[in-house]
Amino acid sequence: MPRKRVYSDEERRKRHCEASRKYREANLEKVSAYNKKWKAENWEYYSEYNREYLRRWRQRKKMGNTTTTT
């Protein structure tokens, strides 16, 4: 029996991204419906996330920093 291939973190991420992209392309309506449903159910989290994102964006803009920092 052949041994299972062990992927590095980078290879695993690339494979996942590619599989994810293919799935989204093939099931666009299903994915869009799920995203809309999730957004409606989790609007508190979504609005808080947006508020924090915009706060960091404004802070970076004010500093004149073009590099993204987390």
Side-chain angles (χ1 to χ4, degrees):
M1 199 159 131
R3 294 181 66 128
K4 194 173 177 182
R5 168 108 192 260
V6 177
Y7 293 100
S8 70
D9 288 345
E10 184 62 22
E11 285 174 320
R12 191 180 300 115
R13 189 191 65 78
K14 282 182 183 173
R15 286 170 57 87
H16 174 76
C17 286
E18 186 61 24
S20 221
R21 186 187 61 75
K22 283 181 182 175
Y23 179 84
R24 284 193 310 271
E25 279 180 6
N27 300 288
L28 192 58
E29 293 83 17
K30 192 192 283 188
V31 170
S32 295
Y34 174 82
N35 287 343
K36 283 180 189 171
K37 182 174 171 252
W38 188 92
K39 210 177 202 180
E41 290 173 357
N42 299 282
W43 64 271
E44 296 106 338
Y45 167 80
Y46 191 73
S47 63
E48 183 62 34
Y49 173 83
N50 263 351
R51 189 177 303 118
E52 182 61 23
Y53 178 85
L54 287 172
R55 186 188 66 75
R56 286 197 308 264
W57 180 81
R58 285 189 201 101
Q59 195 174 10
R60 272 199 316 271
K61 191 176 170 189
K62 224 183 276 181
M63 290 167 51
N65 191 354
T66 54
T67 59
T68 54
T69 54
T70 311

